[in-house]
C-alpha cells in the first residue's frame, strides 16, 4: 500500500548547473553528488538529480513547492533576480510563481494547500466539477 511520496528524480543535462540552481536559488540542502547525479532535500522532500537527456514537455505537468505567505514576495523576487524564466502566469487560487529550472522542468512556488484549494472550489467550481 502506498504511504506517500518517496522522492522525485529529474533528468538533468548539466549536474553542476542544476545543483547550483536547486541549492543556491531554491535553497535545497545538498547531501551528496557523484558522476551521475546528486541527492538534495527540502523539508521532507528527497530530490534526485540524474544526469541524462531531459525530454521537452508541452503539457501542464509540473512540481509545486510550498512557500509560506510571509516569504512568497521576497523569495519570488530573489528567484526572478537570478534570471529564472517563468512559464505561466498565475490564474488560480493562492499566490504562485511558475518557473523553469535550467533544463526546462516546470516548477511552481505556491502559497496554499489542498484544503485552501478545495475551499476556493466551493465558491468558484471548475467547469464540470464533481465532488467525490
Amino acid at each position: 500500500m502506498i504511504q506517500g511520496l518517496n522522492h522525485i528524480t529529474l533528468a538533468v543535462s548539466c549536474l553542476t548547473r542544476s545543483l547550483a540552481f536547486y541549492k543556491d536559488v531554491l535553497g535545497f540542502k545538498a547531501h551528496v553528488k557523484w558522476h551521475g547525479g546528486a541527492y538534495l532535500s527540502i523539508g521532507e522532500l528527497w530530490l534526485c538529480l540524474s544526469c541524462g537527456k531531459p525530454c521537452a514537455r508541452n503539457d501542464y505537468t509540473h512540481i509545486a513547492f510550498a512557500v509560506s505567505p510571509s516569504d512568497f514576495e521576497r523569495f519570488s523576487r530573489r528567484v526572478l533576480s537570478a534570471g529564472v524564466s517563468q512559464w505561466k502566469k498565475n490564474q488560480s487560487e493562492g499566490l504562485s510563481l511558475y518557473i523553469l529550472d535550467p533544463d526546462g522542468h516546470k516548477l511552481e512556488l505556491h502559497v496554499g494547500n489542498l484544503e485552501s484549494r478545495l475551499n476556493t472550489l466551493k465558491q468558484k467550481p471548475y467547469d464540470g466539477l464533481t465532488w467525490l
Side-chain angles (χ1 to χ4, degrees), residues 102-117:
D103 284 295
H105 295 292
K106 295 176 183 175
L107 309 175
E108 177 184 359
L109 307 177
H110 181 69
V111 173
N113 55 31
L114 178 58
E115 183 180 349
S116 63
R117 181 62 52 91

Side-chain angles (χ1 to χ4, degrees), residues 20-111:
F21 173 79
Y22 283 95
K23 187 171 83 60
D24 300 335
V25 176
L26 295 188
F28 278 65
K29 179 180 180 182
H31 296 280
V32 296
K33 72 174 183 171
W34 62 98
H35 292 300
Y39 291 149
L40 302 96
S41 66
I42 192 98
E44 296 295 313
L45 175 65
W46 166 19
L47 178 67
C48 174
L49 303 177
S50 181
C51 294
K53 183 174 176 152
C55 298
R57 296 202 59 107
N58 296 319
D59 64 17
Y60 190 63
T61 301
H62 66 280
I63 301 168
F65 299 113
V67 178
S68 72
S70 61
D71 290 336
F72 182 80
E73 292 300 329
R74 178 185 52 78
F75 188 62
S76 294
R77 281 193 306 274
R78 187 179 121 209
V79 167
L80 293 174
S81 71
V84 176
S85 297
Q86 291 182 267
W87 63 274
K88 179 183 187 285
K89 294 288 185 187
N90 185 33
Q91 298 176 337
S92 62
E93 166 271 335
L95 298 170
S96 286
L97 179 65
Y98 295 88
I99 59 173
L100 297 173
D101 83 352
D103 284 295
H105 295 292
K106 295 176 183 175
L107 309 175
E108 177 184 359
L109 307 177
H110 181 69
V111 173

